[in-house]
Amino acid sequence: MPRRVISIEIGLHKTKIVEVSFKKKNPHIYHCITFATPEHVYEDGYIGDKNRLASVIKEKLQEARIKTNQVVFAISSTKIATREVTIPPVKDRQIPEIIAANATEYFPVDLSEYTISHRVLEKITDKEDKKLRLYLLAAPNNLIKSYYELADLLGLTVVAIDYVGNSTYQMLKEQMPLGTSLVIQINEQATLISIIEKNTLKLQRTITYGTVDLAQAAINYDYPGAKTEAEALQLLYDRELFYTRFDASYEEVAVAMELVPEDEVGGNINYAKREITDSLRYFISNILRMLNYYSSISKKRVDTIYLIGDGAKIAGMKELLYSETGLKVQGMNQLAPVTLYHKSLDLQPGQLMDYLVGIGASIDPINFIPGSDLHGINKYSLIYNTSFILIGSVIIGIIFIGAGFIKYRVAYKQNAILKNEIESRADINELYDEYQEVLALFHHLQKLHSTTSNPNENLIELLVELETKLPKKTTVKTMNITSKDITLSLETDSKETAAFALQQLKTIPYITAVYTNGINDGTIRGNDVGSVTFVITAEYDMEFLQEESNGDN
């Protein structure tokens, strides 16, 4: 493992490079540089002209006298899909197998074109509910491959490729107080929102709105002096180009107009500011939606908003967030565990924040690797993950259910007749007593009807389904069936066949929550025949069975 690495974060307008110690909780910074990204070489994580970009990076590394040849890339792209899932508590080496077996449910795309990685966020150890909470990521193979190609052109060895969301979290979890914080990182083309509670990432989402979008709004609505993105961004840093409330009063507008330089008053400033403000509604509404969602699932409130990234420099952004969320908003000017190795690194307060992502990527990167073991496990099983669902009719006609249903219909009709008679007859008390008796009978029959149904009445159909759908090389060793659950112990010849068997079981319409905790492979001694054993659990789909029962009767 290298002692130090070059950590590179490429953006639409700026590329940031930091030479930093690798996998240290208290990183040392040796060099850091920022320079303009060449035009038309980068878009949403993808690198276009790699030769041109490599040439510029080489030149900048030589100027800074950075000679380390190990590199870590931190990627920001809306093409990287993320999911937060929970699985049963298993050993670390079993996690990839569980992800592989259920990957198509997590990411409904052609997974042969994606690289999947994961991070264990939390080990939940409640007495009645022990499980692991995972952070899953799926990145397009061609996206990851482009960074390996860039490294080759630079003459560098890739140590890891990290996702900017993880890079940010690795750095911020050491900065956050013990409460619950919402971190808004406004980057060039997107905004990363993270909710961190007691150093644990609870929620993370990406909004496709960044400083470039706000600058473009200033250009589109003809704000004086905003002719290019660079000019618009500088104006956004220097003065408030939008109102700090969506419902700004005429008095607030008048005060804002007084702050506009005299040489700009001739333009339609009020119109431009209102339109730029309105362009921020999408951004703010997504933040509010995430706050409400977190509150609904956790029954907790966020204490403070931390604003970081290039967007933290935009004048009026803190005030707008405070007005629309009602939460305290503050910036972040230092990174506590980071030390500058050379005294010559004379960074101004707050400048180190520009390298937050690059430093975080060096601490504990997720590391996307094309053609990883997980992909190898998946590639055959995915062949059989087709979009069809076998439509079968399951007959559950049981004499008791049929008889109970007939009585139920008779009681229902009597109930309707009695209701009509109550309206027409004067003897209300007598009719009411009779109505109550029939209603009691009605509820009794309903209860009787519900107790006559047993999912195991489908046992024969289930055996037929298993015989039809399980692969030929799959053997059912044991079967344990209750009125709710089904547990099958299976043995087959390969993991691919095991994955196919799992997918086939999921097509049986009256069972649900088909799941496996892992696949164990071994070799039969004396032969070269491989064997794979695994246990599949499932539950009866009670709603489906009830609907079928109602339809048949």
Side-chain angles (χ1 to χ4, degrees), residues 266-521:
N268 194 350
I269 301 296
N270 185 29
Y271 166 77
K273 292 190 72 168
R274 283 193 176 278
E275 293 299 327
I276 295 171
T277 305
D278 197 54
S279 74
L280 283 159
R281 288 184 183 274
Y282 168 78
F283 170 72
I284 296 295
S285 65
N286 275 274
I287 293 173
L288 293 174
R289 189 178 299 114
M290 187 166 174
L291 284 169
N292 291 334
Y293 175 70
Y294 174 74
S295 178
S296 65
I297 62 174
S298 68
K299 309 304 179 185
K300 298 178 182 178
R301 292 185 73 256
V302 167
D303 302 315
T304 307
I305 293 178
Y306 289 90
L307 185 61
I308 62 174
D310 292 337
K313 305 172 187 176
I314 294 176
M317 185 59 73
K318 290 181 183 177
E319 291 76 8
L320 177 64
L321 286 168
Y322 172 74
S323 298
E324 298 303 321
T325 65
L327 296 173
K328 178 183 177 182
V329 182
Q330 63 186 61
M332 191 177 292
N333 295 319
Q334 59 183 2
L335 299 176
V338 177
T339 58
L340 303 179
Y341 189 78
H342 297 297
K343 294 182 179 180
S344 58
L345 288 173
D346 186 19
L347 297 176
Q348 298 298 319
Q351 281 187 314
L352 195 58
M353 291 298 300
D354 292 340
Y355 301 96
L356 179 145
V357 172
I359 299 170
S362 73
I363 297 175
D364 191 11
I366 281 182
N367 197 14
F368 291 105
I369 303 176
S372 63
D373 291 340
L374 176 60
H375 176 64
I377 293 171
N378 264 319
K379 62 181 181 180
Y380 292 109
S381 64
L382 292 176
I383 295 175
Y384 299 99
N385 185 43
T386 57
S387 59
F388 68 88
I389 298 177
L390 298 178
I391 303 175
S393 62
V394 180
I395 301 174
I396 314 176
I398 304 298
I399 296 177
F400 291 109
I401 296 178
F405 183 74
I406 292 173
K407 293 181 180 179
Y408 160 77
R409 296 297 299 175
V410 171
Y412 182 84
K413 291 181 180 179
Q414 289 178 340
N415 185 31
I417 293 172
L418 288 173
K419 282 186 176 180
N420 292 330
E421 289 180 351
I422 288 174
E423 296 178 2
S424 61
R425 293 178 59 179
D427 193 357
I428 301 299
N429 291 332
E430 183 178 350
L431 283 175
Y432 179 77
D433 293 339
E434 187 176 358
Y435 165 73
Q436 290 295 323
E437 291 177 1
V438 174
L439 185 62
L441 176 61
F442 170 72
H443 289 312
H444 174 71
L445 292 174
Q446 273 192 320
K447 185 176 181 180
L448 176 64
H449 175 70
S450 65
T451 58
T452 56
S453 177
N454 189 327
N456 284 330
E457 294 159 358
N458 300 279
L459 181 57
I460 295 177
E461 287 80 359
L462 176 61
L463 294 174
V464 172
E465 289 278 4
L466 292 175
E467 183 176 7
T468 302
K469 295 186 176 180
L470 286 177
K472 292 182 179 180
K473 295 182 180 181
T474 301
T475 304
V476 179
K477 306 297 290 184
T478 62
M479 177 186 298
N480 184 23
I481 300 177
T482 69
S483 60
K484 294 182 179 179
D485 303 320
I486 301 168
T487 303
L488 301 175
S489 177
L490 305 176
E491 180 179 283
T492 186
D493 63 328
S494 67
K495 290 184 177 180
E496 290 75 22
T497 306
F500 180 39
L502 179 65
Q503 294 298 328
Q504 287 292 88
L505 289 176
K506 291 181 180 180
T507 65
I508 299 177
Y510 49 86
I511 63 174
T512 186
V514 181
Y515 199 82
T516 179
N517 284 341
I519 300 174
N520 298 318
D521 59 353

Side-chain angles (χ1 to χ4, degrees), residues 133-331:
R133 195 165 69 88
L134 304 182
Y135 186 46
L136 304 184
L137 303 99
N141 289 333
N142 57 357
L143 173 66
I144 303 302
K145 184 180 177 181
S146 67
Y147 285 86
Y148 277 89
E149 293 172 348
L150 177 62
D152 287 340
L153 292 172
L154 292 170
L156 302 176
T157 301
V158 176
V159 175
I161 294 181
D162 197 17
Y163 172 58
V164 67
N166 179 68
S167 305
T168 300
Y169 168 59
Q170 294 301 325
M171 195 71 256
L172 289 181
K173 68 180 182 180
E174 303 298 331
Q175 317 292 318
M176 296 294 100
L178 293 179
T180 303
S181 304
L182 175 71
V183 182
I184 302 175
Q185 183 181 14
I186 308 177
N187 299 316
E188 292 177 333
Q189 292 184 291
T191 296
L192 184 72
I193 304 179
S194 308
I195 294 181
I196 301 175
E197 178 188 335
K198 297 179 181 178
N199 298 337
T200 300
L201 182 65
K202 292 296 185 179
L203 203 60
Q204 191 175 77
R205 297 290 185 270
T206 299
I207 301 175
T208 53
Y209 188 97
T211 57
V212 171
D213 299 278
L214 192 54
Q216 196 60 49
I219 296 171
N220 293 342
Y221 297 113
D222 298 323
Y223 194 98
K227 300 299 182 183
T228 65
E229 282 187 4
E231 292 176 345
L233 284 171
Q234 193 58 52
L235 284 171
L236 285 164
Y237 296 151
D238 292 341
R239 67 188 69 141
E240 293 180 5
L241 302 196
F242 51 86
Y243 298 114
T244 55
R245 290 174 54 190
F246 288 136
D247 58 347
S249 64
Y250 289 110
E251 291 79 5
E252 291 172 313
V253 172
V255 170
M257 290 295 291
E258 291 178 0
L259 300 177
V260 176
E262 292 183 3
D263 60 340
E264 296 183 4
V265 174
N268 194 350
I269 301 296
N270 185 29
Y271 166 77
K273 292 190 72 168
R274 283 193 176 278
E275 293 299 327
I276 295 171
T277 305
D278 197 54
S279 74
L280 283 159
R281 288 184 183 274
Y282 168 78
F283 170 72
I284 296 295
S285 65
N286 275 274
I287 293 173
L288 293 174
R289 189 178 299 114
M290 187 166 174
L291 284 169
N292 291 334
Y293 175 70
Y294 174 74
S295 178
S296 65
I297 62 174
S298 68
K299 309 304 179 185
K300 298 178 182 178
R301 292 185 73 256
V302 167
D303 302 315
T304 307
I305 293 178
Y306 289 90
L307 185 61
I308 62 174
D310 292 337
K313 305 172 187 176
I314 294 176
M317 185 59 73
K318 290 181 183 177
E319 291 76 8
L320 177 64
L321 286 168
Y322 172 74
S323 298
E324 298 303 321
T325 65
L327 296 173
K328 178 183 177 182
V329 182
Q330 63 186 61

Side-chain angles (χ1 to χ4, degrees), residues 396 455 458 510 540-549:
I396 314 176
N458 300 279
Y510 49 86
Y540 281 112
D541 190 339
M542 304 306 294
E543 292 185 2
F544 180 90
L545 293 176
Q546 185 62 41
E547 290 176 1
E548 288 293 305
S549 174

Side-chain angles (χ1 to χ4, degrees), residues 41-114:
V41 302
Y42 176 90
E43 181 63 36
D44 193 20
Y46 285 89
I47 303 171
D49 191 342
K50 301 180 187 68
N51 289 295
R52 185 180 172 199
L53 180 58
S55 177
V56 174
I57 293 176
K58 275 185 178 181
E59 179 183 344
K60 298 299 180 181
L61 290 176
Q62 290 174 357
E63 290 177 0
R65 298 182 179 180
I66 299 175
K67 298 181 180 180
T68 300
N69 58 6
Q70 310 283 337
V71 65
V72 173
F73 290 103
I75 305 178
S76 174
S77 175
T78 58
K79 304 301 182 183
I80 298 177
T82 62
R83 295 287 185 275
E84 291 149 26
V85 302
T86 56
I87 64 171
V90 296
K91 296 179 179 179
D92 289 348
R93 60 182 175 81
Q94 294 178 300
I95 294 176
E97 294 183 359
I98 293 179
I99 295 174
N102 300 278
T104 53
E105 294 184 8
Y106 303 145
F107 301 105
V109 295
D110 182 2
L111 291 179
S112 64
E113 299 180 0
Y114 283 77

